[in-house]
């Protein structure tokens, strides 16, 4: 969960989304992002709706997570450790509402939402590094994308930061190029 959260958070940036722009333009979008990533059910201590301040802090965190994802192995560990310890967090494994084991970002009272997300992303990146290796931290293969991701797939052959977006866009472009080369019927 944490590595996927880190990947998806880093790729909400307008740096990655050239054509669509900022994916987290307001607190409501951040709330949807959190819901889509299953951060409810006691995974995060933060309750309630994200504020404008939460959004600004998450935007800043996004840059830190992106830098960690793009770093070499040693720097990745250093940056992820900083994300975890900077929030005063300690990761714990707990059951969610559905009885599944989930990493929890256990932080001292008063740590903002971005601090909790930093801890969860840091733990996820370190877990993926340990279990899968640094070669699973990649840049998107789409030539017009600046995305980055952790490939947590079983086969380890993922090529795009957002397969439904970048992979489809490249497939459509290739299809159009093939059609343009065909002689008229």
């Amino acid at each position: 969960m944490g590595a996927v959260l880190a990947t998806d958070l880093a790729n909400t940036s307008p740096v990655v989304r050239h054509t669509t722009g900022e994916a987290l333009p307001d607190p409501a979008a951040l709330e949807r992002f959190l819901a889509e990533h299953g951060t409810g059910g006691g995974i995060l201590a933060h309750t309630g709706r994200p504020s404008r301040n939460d959004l600004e802090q998450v935007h800043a965190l996004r840059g830190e997570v992106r830098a960690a994802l793009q770093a070499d192995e040693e720097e990745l560990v250093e940056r992820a450790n900083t994300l975890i310890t900077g929030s005063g967090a300690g990761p714990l494994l707990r059951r969610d509402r559905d009885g599944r084991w989930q990493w929890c970002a256990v932080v001292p009272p008063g740590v903002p939402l971005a601090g909790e997300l930093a801890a969860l992303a840091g733990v996820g990146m370190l877990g993926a590094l340990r279990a899968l290796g640094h070669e699973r931290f990649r840049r998107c293969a789409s030539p017009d994308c600046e995305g980055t991701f952790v490939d947590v797939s079983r086969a380890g052959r993922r090529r795009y930061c957002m397969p439904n977006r970048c992979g489809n866009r490249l497939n459509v472009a290739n299809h159009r190029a093939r059609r343009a080369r065909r002689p008229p019927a």
Side-chain angles (χ1 to χ4, degrees):
M1 176 180 156
V4 173
L5 176 97
T7 292
D8 291 350
L9 179 61
N11 292 324
T12 62
S13 171
V15 171
V16 175
R17 297 171 170 264
H18 300 290
T19 57
T20 57
E22 176 65 64
L24 298 176
D26 54 43
L30 176 56
E31 185 174 21
R32 286 189 301 277
F33 176 86
L34 295 172
E36 289 167 6
H37 289 82
T39 57
I43 300 303
L44 298 179
H46 185 272
T47 58
R49 298 196 138 154
S51 67
R52 177 69 53 189
N53 188 47
D54 289 328
L55 179 67
E56 291 170 6
Q57 290 176 359
V58 169
H59 282 172
L61 170 63
R62 175 175 64 193
E64 295 174 40
V65 169
R66 183 173 168 75
L69 289 171
Q70 293 176 334
D72 66 40
E73 192 170 1
E74 296 299 320
E75 186 180 348
L76 166 64
V77 170
E78 185 178 318
R79 286 178 176 274
N81 281 334
T82 298
L83 289 172
I84 297 166
T85 59
S87 63
L92 293 177
L93 198 59
R94 290 189 177 158
R95 290 194 187 271
D96 65 13
R97 288 184 203 158
D98 298 325
R100 295 175 302 214
W101 289 107
Q102 298 287 346
W103 283 110
C104 296
V106 180
V107 297
V111 170
L113 173 62
E116 289 190 82
L117 291 177
L120 192 57
V123 168
M125 288 186 286
L126 291 176
L129 176 66
R130 185 175 184 283
L132 303 172
H134 190 256
E135 62 276 1
R136 294 286 191 105
F137 289 72
R138 302 182 183 139
R139 290 191 174 272
C140 187
S142 177
D144 63 341
C145 182
E146 298 297 321
T148 186
F149 64 97
V150 181
D151 181 359
V152 295
S153 69
R154 183 181 302 248
R157 292 188 212 124
R158 184 171 157 190
R159 297 181 55 217
Y160 305 106
C161 65
M162 293 175 271
N164 292 340
R165 184 171 172 258
C166 297
N168 286 347
R169 184 182 304 147
L170 193 58
N171 289 337
V172 168
N174 289 340
H175 175 73
R176 288 181 179 155
R178 284 190 303 271
R179 287 189 74 177
R181 288 191 302 258
R182 285 189 207 151

